[in-house]
Each structure stands twice: as C-alpha cells, then as structure tokens.
PDB file of all heavy atoms in Angstrom:
ATOM      1  N   LEU A 156      17.042 -17.691 -14.751  1.00  0.00           N
ATOM      2  CA  LEU A 156      17.454 -18.563 -13.662  1.00  0.00           C
ATOM      3  C   LEU A 156      17.312 -20.031 -14.039  1.00  0.00           C
ATOM      4  O   LEU A 156      16.312 -20.421 -14.655  1.00  0.00           O
ATOM      5  CB  LEU A 156      16.614 -18.225 -12.434  1.00  0.00           C
ATOM      6  CG  LEU A 156      17.000 -18.856 -11.093  1.00  0.00           C
ATOM      7  CD1 LEU A 156      18.329 -18.258 -10.616  1.00  0.00           C
ATOM      8  CD2 LEU A 156      15.897 -18.606 -10.075  1.00  0.00           C
ATOM      9  N   ARG A 157      18.306 -20.835 -13.643  1.00  0.00           N
ATOM     10  CA  ARG A 157      18.194 -22.280 -13.870  1.00  0.00           C
ATOM     11  C   ARG A 157      17.335 -22.888 -12.745  1.00  0.00           C
ATOM     12  O   ARG A 157      17.481 -22.542 -11.567  1.00  0.00           O
ATOM     13  CB  ARG A 157      19.574 -22.930 -13.904  1.00  0.00           C
ATOM     14  CG  ARG A 157      19.563 -24.316 -14.515  1.00  0.00           C
ATOM     15  CD  ARG A 157      20.933 -24.871 -14.730  1.00  0.00           C
ATOM     16  NE  ARG A 157      21.735 -24.179 -15.719  1.00  0.00           N
ATOM     17  CZ  ARG A 157      21.608 -24.326 -17.035  1.00  0.00           C
ATOM     18  NH1 ARG A 157      20.700 -25.150 -17.523  1.00  0.00           N
ATOM     19  NH2 ARG A 157      22.395 -23.656 -17.857  1.00  0.00           N
ATOM     20  N   LEU A 158      16.432 -23.786 -13.114  1.00  0.00           N
ATOM     21  CA  LEU A 158      15.494 -24.383 -12.153  1.00  0.00           C
ATOM     22  C   LEU A 158      16.192 -25.463 -11.324  1.00  0.00           C
ATOM     23  O   LEU A 158      16.955 -26.278 -11.838  1.00  0.00           O
ATOM     24  CB  LEU A 158      14.309 -24.959 -12.880  1.00  0.00           C
ATOM     25  CG  LEU A 158      13.538 -23.995 -13.801  1.00  0.00           C
ATOM     26  CD1 LEU A 158      12.369 -24.686 -14.432  1.00  0.00           C
ATOM     27  CD2 LEU A 158      13.078 -22.763 -13.024  1.00  0.00           C
ATOM     28  N   SER A 159      15.899 -25.440 -10.025  1.00  0.00           N
ATOM     29  CA  SER A 159      16.459 -26.448  -9.129  1.00  0.00           C
ATOM     30  C   SER A 159      15.402 -26.952  -8.164  1.00  0.00           C
ATOM     31  O   SER A 159      14.385 -26.327  -7.948  1.00  0.00           O
ATOM     32  CB  SER A 159      17.649 -25.863  -8.352  1.00  0.00           C
ATOM     33  OG  SER A 159      17.252 -24.731  -7.599  1.00  0.00           O
ATOM     34  N   GLU A 160      15.686 -28.129  -7.602  1.00  0.00           N
ATOM     35  CA  GLU A 160      14.744 -28.784  -6.699  1.00  0.00           C
ATOM     36  C   GLU A 160      14.392 -27.880  -5.517  1.00  0.00           C
ATOM     37  O   GLU A 160      15.254 -27.244  -4.936  1.00  0.00           O
ATOM     38  CB  GLU A 160      15.314 -30.091  -6.206  1.00  0.00           C
ATOM     39  CG  GLU A 160      14.330 -30.936  -5.398  1.00  0.00           C
ATOM     40  CD  GLU A 160      14.907 -32.287  -5.027  1.00  0.00           C
ATOM     41  OE1 GLU A 160      16.078 -32.585  -5.362  1.00  0.00           O
ATOM     42  OE2 GLU A 160      14.169 -33.059  -4.372  1.00  0.00           O
ATOM     43  N   GLY A 161      13.108 -27.813  -5.190  1.00  0.00           N
ATOM     44  CA  GLY A 161      12.650 -27.041  -4.036  1.00  0.00           C
ATOM     45  C   GLY A 161      12.129 -25.648  -4.383  1.00  0.00           C
ATOM     46  O   GLY A 161      11.579 -24.981  -3.503  1.00  0.00           O
ATOM     47  N   MET A 162      12.307 -25.215  -5.604  1.00  0.00           N
ATOM     48  CA  MET A 162      11.700 -23.964  -6.025  1.00  0.00           C
ATOM     49  C   MET A 162      10.168 -24.138  -6.102  1.00  0.00           C
ATOM     50  O   MET A 162       9.693 -25.186  -6.540  1.00  0.00           O
ATOM     51  CB  MET A 162      12.185 -23.508  -7.392  1.00  0.00           C
ATOM     52  CG  MET A 162      13.601 -23.018  -7.434  1.00  0.00           C
ATOM     53  SD  MET A 162      14.020 -22.497  -9.121  1.00  0.00           S
ATOM     54  CE  MET A 162      15.687 -21.902  -8.885  1.00  0.00           C
ATOM     55  N   VAL A 163       9.441 -23.141  -5.651  1.00  0.00           N
ATOM     56  CA  VAL A 163       7.971 -23.162  -5.765  1.00  0.00           C
ATOM     57  C   VAL A 163       7.539 -21.810  -6.334  1.00  0.00           C
ATOM     58  O   VAL A 163       7.926 -20.761  -5.810  1.00  0.00           O
ATOM     59  CB  VAL A 163       7.276 -23.395  -4.409  1.00  0.00           C
ATOM     60  CG1 VAL A 163       5.768 -23.442  -4.589  1.00  0.00           C
ATOM     61  CG2 VAL A 163       7.783 -24.701  -3.765  1.00  0.00           C
ATOM     62  N   PHE A 164       6.768 -21.844  -7.407  1.00  0.00           N
ATOM     63  CA  PHE A 164       6.332 -20.602  -8.022  1.00  0.00           C
ATOM     64  C   PHE A 164       5.041 -20.848  -8.793  1.00  0.00           C
ATOM     65  O   PHE A 164       4.585 -21.982  -8.963  1.00  0.00           O
ATOM     66  CB  PHE A 164       7.393 -20.011  -8.937  1.00  0.00           C
ATOM     67  CG  PHE A 164       7.972 -20.963  -9.965  1.00  0.00           C
ATOM     68  CD1 PHE A 164       7.275 -21.250 -11.131  1.00  0.00           C
ATOM     69  CD2 PHE A 164       9.229 -21.528  -9.786  1.00  0.00           C
ATOM     70  CE1 PHE A 164       7.812 -22.099 -12.106  1.00  0.00           C
ATOM     71  CE2 PHE A 164       9.781 -22.386 -10.733  1.00  0.00           C
ATOM     72  CZ  PHE A 164       9.059 -22.672 -11.898  1.00  0.00           C
ATOM     73  N   THR A 165       4.433 -19.741  -9.231  1.00  0.00           N
ATOM     74  CA  THR A 165       3.229 -19.829 -10.074  1.00  0.00           C
ATOM     75  C   THR A 165       3.578 -19.635 -11.540  1.00  0.00           C
ATOM     76  O   THR A 165       4.543 -18.929 -11.870  1.00  0.00           O
ATOM     77  CB  THR A 165       2.207 -18.761  -9.681  1.00  0.00           C
ATOM     78  OG1 THR A 165       2.667 -17.473 -10.074  1.00  0.00           O
ATOM     79  CG2 THR A 165       1.885 -18.784  -8.190  1.00  0.00           C
ATOM     80  N   ILE A 166       2.814 -20.273 -12.368  1.00  0.00           N
ATOM     81  CA  ILE A 166       2.791 -19.966 -13.801  1.00  0.00           C
ATOM     82  C   ILE A 166       1.352 -19.529 -14.083  1.00  0.00           C
ATOM     83  O   ILE A 166       0.392 -20.236 -13.726  1.00  0.00           O
ATOM     84  CB  ILE A 166       3.176 -21.170 -14.657  1.00  0.00           C
ATOM     85  CG1 ILE A 166       4.602 -21.638 -14.332  1.00  0.00           C
ATOM     86  CG2 ILE A 166       3.062 -20.838 -16.155  1.00  0.00           C
ATOM     87  CD1 ILE A 166       5.025 -22.904 -15.063  1.00  0.00           C
ATOM     88  N   GLU A 167       1.155 -18.347 -14.688  1.00  0.00           N
ATOM     89  CA  GLU A 167      -0.192 -17.794 -14.807  1.00  0.00           C
ATOM     90  C   GLU A 167      -0.369 -16.924 -16.061  1.00  0.00           C
ATOM     91  O   GLU A 167      -0.640 -15.733 -15.975  1.00  0.00           O
ATOM     92  CB  GLU A 167      -0.504 -16.955 -13.541  1.00  0.00           C
ATOM     93  CG  GLU A 167       0.566 -15.958 -13.095  1.00  0.00           C
ATOM     94  CD  GLU A 167       0.228 -15.282 -11.813  1.00  0.00           C
ATOM     95  OE1 GLU A 167      -0.727 -14.479 -11.822  1.00  0.00           O
ATOM     96  OE2 GLU A 167       0.908 -15.557 -10.796  1.00  0.00           O
ATOM     97  N   PRO A 168      -0.236 -17.540 -17.230  1.00  0.00           N
ATOM     98  CA  PRO A 168      -0.317 -16.743 -18.448  1.00  0.00           C
ATOM     99  C   PRO A 168      -1.676 -16.046 -18.590  1.00  0.00           C
ATOM    100  O   PRO A 168      -2.733 -16.626 -18.365  1.00  0.00           O
ATOM    101  CB  PRO A 168      -0.137 -17.793 -19.542  1.00  0.00           C
ATOM    102  CG  PRO A 168      -0.473 -19.096 -18.923  1.00  0.00           C
ATOM    103  CD  PRO A 168      -0.055 -18.962 -17.496  1.00  0.00           C
ATOM    104  N   MET A 169      -1.587 -14.763 -18.958  1.00  0.00           N
ATOM    105  CA  MET A 169      -2.766 -13.974 -19.313  1.00  0.00           C
ATOM    106  C   MET A 169      -2.700 -13.731 -20.799  1.00  0.00           C
ATOM    107  O   MET A 169      -1.744 -13.101 -21.294  1.00  0.00           O
ATOM    108  CB  MET A 169      -2.762 -12.660 -18.523  1.00  0.00           C
ATOM    109  CG  MET A 169      -2.754 -12.865 -17.020  1.00  0.00           C
ATOM    110  SD  MET A 169      -2.382 -11.373 -16.085  1.00  0.00           S
ATOM    111  CE  MET A 169      -1.649 -12.080 -14.640  1.00  0.00           C
ATOM    112  N   ILE A 170      -3.657 -14.252 -21.515  1.00  0.00           N
ATOM    113  CA  ILE A 170      -3.632 -14.261 -22.977  1.00  0.00           C
ATOM    114  C   ILE A 170      -4.815 -13.440 -23.510  1.00  0.00           C
ATOM    115  O   ILE A 170      -5.946 -13.632 -23.056  1.00  0.00           O
ATOM    116  CB  ILE A 170      -3.696 -15.724 -23.504  1.00  0.00           C
ATOM    117  CG1 ILE A 170      -2.629 -16.596 -22.848  1.00  0.00           C
ATOM    118  CG2 ILE A 170      -3.577 -15.734 -25.048  1.00  0.00           C
ATOM    119  CD1 ILE A 170      -1.187 -16.153 -23.098  1.00  0.00           C
ATOM    120  N   ASN A 171      -4.524 -12.566 -24.454  1.00  0.00           N
ATOM    121  CA  ASN A 171      -5.509 -11.666 -25.014  1.00  0.00           C
ATOM    122  C   ASN A 171      -5.874 -12.040 -26.434  1.00  0.00           C
ATOM    123  O   ASN A 171      -5.041 -12.483 -27.204  1.00  0.00           O
ATOM    124  CB  ASN A 171      -5.000 -10.227 -25.018  1.00  0.00           C
ATOM    125  CG  ASN A 171      -4.817  -9.669 -23.614  1.00  0.00           C
ATOM    126  OD1 ASN A 171      -5.177 -10.299 -22.639  1.00  0.00           O
ATOM    127  ND2 ASN A 171      -4.215  -8.479 -23.528  1.00  0.00           N
ATOM    128  N   LEU A 172      -7.126 -11.774 -26.756  1.00  0.00           N
ATOM    129  CA  LEU A 172      -7.623 -12.008 -28.131  1.00  0.00           C
ATOM    130  C   LEU A 172      -6.979 -11.035 -29.105  1.00  0.00           C
ATOM    131  O   LEU A 172      -6.662 -11.376 -30.243  1.00  0.00           O
ATOM    132  CB  LEU A 172      -9.143 -11.850 -28.144  1.00  0.00           C
ATOM    133  CG  LEU A 172      -9.934 -12.545 -29.239  1.00  0.00           C
ATOM    134  CD1 LEU A 172      -9.696 -14.044 -29.256  1.00  0.00           C
ATOM    135  CD2 LEU A 172     -11.432 -12.261 -29.015  1.00  0.00           C
ATOM    136  N   GLY A 173      -6.748  -9.795 -28.653  1.00  0.00           N
ATOM    137  CA  GLY A 173      -6.161  -8.774 -29.508  1.00  0.00           C
ATOM    138  C   GLY A 173      -4.789  -8.328 -28.998  1.00  0.00           C
ATOM    139  O   GLY A 173      -3.933  -9.158 -28.725  1.00  0.00           O
ATOM    140  N   SER A 174      -4.617  -7.037 -28.818  1.00  0.00           N
ATOM    141  CA  SER A 174      -3.330  -6.480 -28.366  1.00  0.00           C
ATOM    142  C   SER A 174      -3.041  -6.896 -26.931  1.00  0.00           C
ATOM    143  O   SER A 174      -3.934  -7.055 -26.115  1.00  0.00           O
ATOM    144  CB  SER A 174      -3.388  -4.956 -28.444  1.00  0.00           C
ATOM    145  OG  SER A 174      -2.300  -4.369 -27.762  1.00  0.00           O
ATOM    146  N   TYR A 175      -1.719  -7.014 -26.626  1.00  0.00           N
ATOM    147  CA  TYR A 175      -1.343  -7.321 -25.241  1.00  0.00           C
ATOM    148  C   TYR A 175      -1.290  -6.053 -24.388  1.00  0.00           C
ATOM    149  O   TYR A 175      -1.100  -6.133 -23.156  1.00  0.00           O
ATOM    150  CB  TYR A 175      -0.003  -8.051 -25.177  1.00  0.00           C
ATOM    151  CG  TYR A 175       1.201  -7.339 -25.733  1.00  0.00           C
ATOM    152  CD1 TYR A 175       1.769  -6.256 -25.089  1.00  0.00           C
ATOM    153  CD2 TYR A 175       1.780  -7.766 -26.915  1.00  0.00           C
ATOM    154  CE1 TYR A 175       2.886  -5.622 -25.587  1.00  0.00           C
ATOM    155  CE2 TYR A 175       2.900  -7.135 -27.442  1.00  0.00           C
ATOM    156  CZ  TYR A 175       3.442  -6.065 -26.754  1.00  0.00           C
ATOM    157  OH  TYR A 175       4.572  -5.430 -27.278  1.00  0.00           O
ATOM    158  N   ASN A 176      -1.472  -4.885 -24.960  1.00  0.00           N
ATOM    159  CA  ASN A 176      -1.400  -3.645 -24.206  1.00  0.00           C
ATOM    160  C   ASN A 176      -2.605  -3.514 -23.264  1.00  0.00           C
ATOM    161  O   ASN A 176      -3.710  -4.012 -23.566  1.00  0.00           O
ATOM    162  CB  ASN A 176      -1.334  -2.454 -25.128  1.00  0.00           C
ATOM    163  CG  ASN A 176      -0.011  -2.384 -25.866  1.00  0.00           C
ATOM    164  OD1 ASN A 176       1.030  -2.497 -25.276  1.00  0.00           O
ATOM    165  ND2 ASN A 176      -0.083  -2.221 -27.182  1.00  0.00           N
ATOM    166  N   LEU A 177      -2.397  -2.837 -22.142  1.00  0.00           N
ATOM    167  CA  LEU A 177      -3.464  -2.739 -21.142  1.00  0.00           C
ATOM    168  C   LEU A 177      -3.555  -1.347 -20.573  1.00  0.00           C
ATOM    169  O   LEU A 177      -2.704  -0.487 -20.770  1.00  0.00           O
ATOM    170  CB  LEU A 177      -3.206  -3.780 -20.020  1.00  0.00           C
ATOM    171  CG  LEU A 177      -1.865  -3.679 -19.233  1.00  0.00           C
ATOM    172  CD1 LEU A 177      -1.905  -2.615 -18.164  1.00  0.00           C
ATOM    173  CD2 LEU A 177      -1.561  -5.015 -18.612  1.00  0.00           C
ATOM    174  N   LYS A 178      -4.624  -1.124 -19.835  1.00  0.00           N
ATOM    175  CA  LYS A 178      -4.812   0.108 -19.065  1.00  0.00           C
ATOM    176  C   LYS A 178      -5.342  -0.270 -17.703  1.00  0.00           C
ATOM    177  O   LYS A 178      -5.930  -1.362 -17.512  1.00  0.00           O
ATOM    178  CB  LYS A 178      -5.783   1.044 -19.793  1.00  0.00           C
ATOM    179  CG  LYS A 178      -7.139   0.454 -20.101  1.00  0.00           C
ATOM    180  CD  LYS A 178      -7.974   1.384 -20.969  1.00  0.00           C
ATOM    181  CE  LYS A 178      -9.321   0.744 -21.331  1.00  0.00           C
ATOM    182  NZ  LYS A 178     -10.130   1.587 -22.225  1.00  0.00           N
ATOM    183  N   ILE A 179      -5.168   0.621 -16.716  1.00  0.00           N
ATOM    184  CA  ILE A 179      -5.580   0.359 -15.346  1.00  0.00           C
ATOM    185  C   ILE A 179      -6.769   1.244 -15.041  1.00  0.00           C
ATOM    186  O   ILE A 179      -6.783   2.439 -15.322  1.00  0.00           O
ATOM    187  CB  ILE A 179      -4.448   0.637 -14.355  1.00  0.00           C
ATOM    188  CG1 ILE A 179      -3.186  -0.170 -14.691  1.00  0.00           C
ATOM    189  CG2 ILE A 179      -4.915   0.353 -12.918  1.00  0.00           C
ATOM    190  CD1 ILE A 179      -3.340  -1.650 -14.551  1.00  0.00           C
ATOM    191  N   ASP A 180      -7.810   0.630 -14.444  1.00  0.00           N
ATOM    192  CA  ASP A 180      -9.004   1.363 -14.048  1.00  0.00           C
ATOM    193  C   ASP A 180      -8.714   2.371 -12.938  1.00  0.00           C
ATOM    194  O   ASP A 180      -7.671   2.317 -12.281  1.00  0.00           O
ATOM    195  CB  ASP A 180     -10.075   0.369 -13.582  1.00  0.00           C
ATOM    196  CG  ASP A 180     -10.760  -0.342 -14.737  1.00  0.00           C
ATOM    197  OD1 ASP A 180     -10.423  -0.112 -15.893  1.00  0.00           O
ATOM    198  OD2 ASP A 180     -11.659  -1.184 -14.438  1.00  0.00           O
ATOM    199  N   GLN A 181      -9.689   3.234 -12.702  1.00  0.00           N
ATOM    200  CA  GLN A 181      -9.527   4.281 -11.684  1.00  0.00           C
ATOM    201  C   GLN A 181      -9.402   3.705 -10.273  1.00  0.00           C
ATOM    202  O   GLN A 181      -8.898   4.379  -9.371  1.00  0.00           O
ATOM    203  CB  GLN A 181     -10.705   5.245 -11.735  1.00  0.00           C
ATOM    204  CG  GLN A 181     -10.675   6.174 -12.962  1.00  0.00           C
ATOM    205  CD  GLN A 181     -11.787   7.226 -12.924  1.00  0.00           C
ATOM    206  OE1 GLN A 181     -12.699   7.138 -12.109  1.00  0.00           O
ATOM    207  NE2 GLN A 181     -11.709   8.202 -13.794  1.00  0.00           N
ATOM    208  N   ASN A 182      -9.817   2.451 -10.086  1.00  0.00           N
ATOM    209  CA  ASN A 182      -9.673   1.852  -8.760  1.00  0.00           C
ATOM    210  C   ASN A 182      -8.217   1.529  -8.427  1.00  0.00           C
ATOM    211  O   ASN A 182      -7.887   1.144  -7.292  1.00  0.00           O
ATOM    212  CB  ASN A 182     -10.546   0.597  -8.603  1.00  0.00           C
ATOM    213  CG  ASN A 182     -10.185  -0.521  -9.575  1.00  0.00           C
ATOM    214  OD1 ASN A 182      -9.069  -0.658 -10.031  1.00  0.00           O
ATOM    215  ND2 ASN A 182     -11.180  -1.382  -9.883  1.00  0.00           N
ATOM    216  N   GLY A 183      -7.328   1.684  -9.422  1.00  0.00           N
ATOM    217  CA  GLY A 183      -5.913   1.472  -9.189  1.00  0.00           C
ATOM    218  C   GLY A 183      -5.484   0.002  -9.221  1.00  0.00           C
ATOM    219  O   GLY A 183      -4.288  -0.296  -9.063  1.00  0.00           O
ATOM    220  N   TRP A 184      -6.403  -0.894  -9.439  1.00  0.00           N
ATOM    221  CA  TRP A 184      -6.126  -2.335  -9.433  1.00  0.00           C
ATOM    222  C   TRP A 184      -6.407  -3.029 -10.756  1.00  0.00           C
ATOM    223  O   TRP A 184      -5.559  -3.727 -11.290  1.00  0.00           O
ATOM    224  CB  TRP A 184      -6.966  -3.021  -8.331  1.00  0.00           C
ATOM    225  CG  TRP A 184      -6.501  -2.814  -6.968  1.00  0.00           C
ATOM    226  CD1 TRP A 184      -6.905  -1.834  -6.089  1.00  0.00           C
ATOM    227  CD2 TRP A 184      -5.543  -3.595  -6.243  1.00  0.00           C
ATOM    228  NE1 TRP A 184      -6.250  -1.944  -4.874  1.00  0.00           N
ATOM    229  CE2 TRP A 184      -5.417  -3.030  -4.954  1.00  0.00           C
ATOM    230  CE3 TRP A 184      -4.770  -4.713  -6.567  1.00  0.00           C
ATOM    231  CZ2 TRP A 184      -4.555  -3.545  -3.994  1.00  0.00           C
ATOM    232  CZ3 TRP A 184      -3.927  -5.246  -5.606  1.00  0.00           C
ATOM    233  CH2 TRP A 184      -3.793  -4.670  -4.337  1.00  0.00           C
TER     234      TRP A 184
END
C-alpha cells in the first residue's frame, strides 16, 4: 500500500538473536 496522509499504524519489529521461527506456549498466547 502507498502511504497517504491520515494513516495511523504501529511499527513493532520483533528481532531474534537466532532463528526467526517460533512456537506458542500452552496458554495459547
């Protein structure tokens, strides 16, 4: 998408020391 005036959003990089692969705990979150 091309950026235009009035858009509001977050930028929130999650950066890992090793692999970018992940797993989800039993709490589901």
Side-chain angles (χ1 to χ4, degrees):
L156 189 69
R157 196 173 294 280
L158 304 182
S159 59
E160 186 175 1
M162 289 181 177
V163 182
F164 52 78
T165 70
I166 300 175
E167 48 185 292
M169 301 168 208
I170 308 298
N171 294 352
L172 204 57
S174 168
Y175 61 72
N176 292 312
L177 59 80
K178 57 187 177 182
I179 304 295
D180 283 359
Q181 288 185 349
N182 63 27
W184 284 93

